[in-house]
Amino acid sequence: METASRRGGREARRSQRMAPKVDMLPTLKSGLPAVEPMSPEQVERIHQASMGILEEVGVVFRDPIALADWKRAGADVRDERVHLDRGLVMSLIGSIPSQITYHARNAEKNVELGGRNAIFVPMTGAPYMRDLEDERRAPTIADLGTFHKLAHMMPALHSSAHHIVEPMDIVVAHRHMHITYSSMRHSDKIFMGMTTSPKNAEDVLDMCAILFGADFLETHAVTTGNCNGNSPLVWDQVMLGAMRAFCRRNQPVLCSPFVLGGANTPASTAAAVAQLNAEALSALAYTQVVRKGCPAIYGHYLSTVSMQSGAPMAGTPEISLMNFMIGQMARHYNVPWRTSNLLGGSKVFDAQAGYESAMTMMAVLLSGANYIWHSAGWNEAGMHCSIAKFLVDSEVCAMGYRMAEGIKWDDFDEALQAVRDVGPGGHYLGHPHTQANFQNAFFIPKLFDNNSIEQWKADGSKDIKDRALKQAKKLLSEYEEPKLDPAKDEELRAFIDRRSREIPAVDALNDEF
């Protein structure tokens, strides 16, 4: 009877540990020194090289509005190529805020960005998924909702992002609105805004105005847009139009060159960073031409290319080095910056996926990144989002969060007293300090198995994928929707209905209606 009581107590404590906790970790305030492999002279060398690229080579802006804007700003515009004087660039980026406060619809989940402040954001853009049975298939809007629900319940994720997976059952022209509504409905964390066309970006921002109020957007960051460059040295009309939409509404935008090292950059780590830096600076400067003082984030997507197959690679040493270097450059310009986190190229959730992701994440955390995107679910070079990996990545982010906080000294004196109390040859398991601190002293992963092989077999010989999928099903069964205000919910639905009538239901991006 006593044994049964003890067993019941253990099971109750285990159930309590495994119960869903939707409390979000606050903004990560890094307590670790950033890795800075470049000397001040090397930072200046990259800066000067980038300035030379901007002045002598120039950047193509394939957009008549942007070209007219640059002429008015005093740039040297030759056809579509814009040559930017270093003085003009540095003057413009000087008005970018170094810190951003993001406001969620639940104010308890507001976060800070910039300086030592960082947030974790899930992956986005996957055209396929691995579902609750680990089957690879095309996603639906319901599947996107599933990921948004899980993002809401993961303590270390600070955002529900936007199209974690592409909802293939919604026509392309209307998809952006349903994605945004899913982000808003299923989580009360911050979210991202679609930038797939200028008109789509305007729709998203109009929905944000419904949720938060148009005047609120003028002075508060509530969403994030991402605009990818076409490396080498090209910004296209679609991205620039979406960028303008976000800047005009004073919402942050990620200015992200898309690097495939060796394919659209030189086959050199340092030279690739010099080119990327020039590309990012040209877009950052343009945000300030559109609206001086609007928030903007130094972005990038980093991958190296296999010279054997041409395929993008994740987790390579050069990607880590580039992250360190870009962190130094962003701090040199005093602007917040974005990177990509738990990336992998494996087709399944295996050791390759784990090693690639861990390699990338360690560099990301030590580089001092602020907006840490693609932090959960990414595999197959972004072609699919895995529910199992989404959960494990989220727990790994919690581990990384704890590491990046740095050393805690709050109980140092009490712990030293325990050394005197226990003395040589003793143990600490029953000491009052241990009893008071054991739950928080060391991170205990929920999804990792550290039991004996006998216990592992007794529990069904489950691998981490099986445990993660079981936990995902449990979490989804316990999910509670953070309800939208009914009046705002009705207005959002009415907006989607109206715009769906105005925009032809076609599988093409809307850039006209």
Side-chain angles (χ1 to χ4, degrees), residues 38 42-50 270 273-274 277 325 329:
M38 292 191 292
Q42 290 168 332
V43 169
E44 183 64 19
R45 188 175 181 186
I46 293 291
H47 169 72
Q48 293 298 335
S50 299
V273 170
N277 190 54
M325 295 171 72
M329 298 313 300

Side-chain angles (χ1 to χ4, degrees), residues 24 41 99 108 111 133 137 154 161 168 173 177 205 258 273 287 321 332 344-345 359 381 386 396 443 471:
M24 188 184 82
E41 292 76 19
Q99 304 274 342
E108 294 180 356
V111 291
E133 306 305 321
R137 60 174 175 82
M154 295 294 102
M168 297 298 189
M177 296 180 291
L205 292 163
F258 196 91
V273 170
T287 66
L321 291 170
H332 179 71
M359 182 79 173
S386 157
V396 171
F443 191 98
Q471 179 69 354

Side-chain angles (χ1 to χ4, degrees), residues 4 92 197 296 307:
L92 288 168
S197 79
M307 295 301 171

Side-chain angles (χ1 to χ4, degrees), residues 197-273:
S197 79
K199 294 291 186 184
N200 288 359
E202 291 169 8
D203 283 339
V204 168
L205 292 163
D206 286 343
M207 292 177 72
C208 290
I210 292 171
L211 184 62
F212 293 97
D215 291 340
F216 192 84
L217 263 64
E218 277 295 304
T219 52
H220 299 80
V222 303
T223 189
T224 310
N226 177 62
C227 295
N228 286 321
N230 294 335
S231 299
L233 300 167
V234 175
W235 292 95
D236 68 32
Q237 188 170 12
V238 171
M239 291 289 93
L240 291 167
M243 185 184 294
R244 282 192 295 272
F246 273 76
C247 293
R248 287 168 179 163
R249 301 290 277 270
N250 209 32
Q251 295 303 300
V253 63
L254 306 169
C255 301
S256 303
F258 196 91
V259 169
L260 299 170
N264 62 9
T265 73
S268 158
T269 299
V273 170

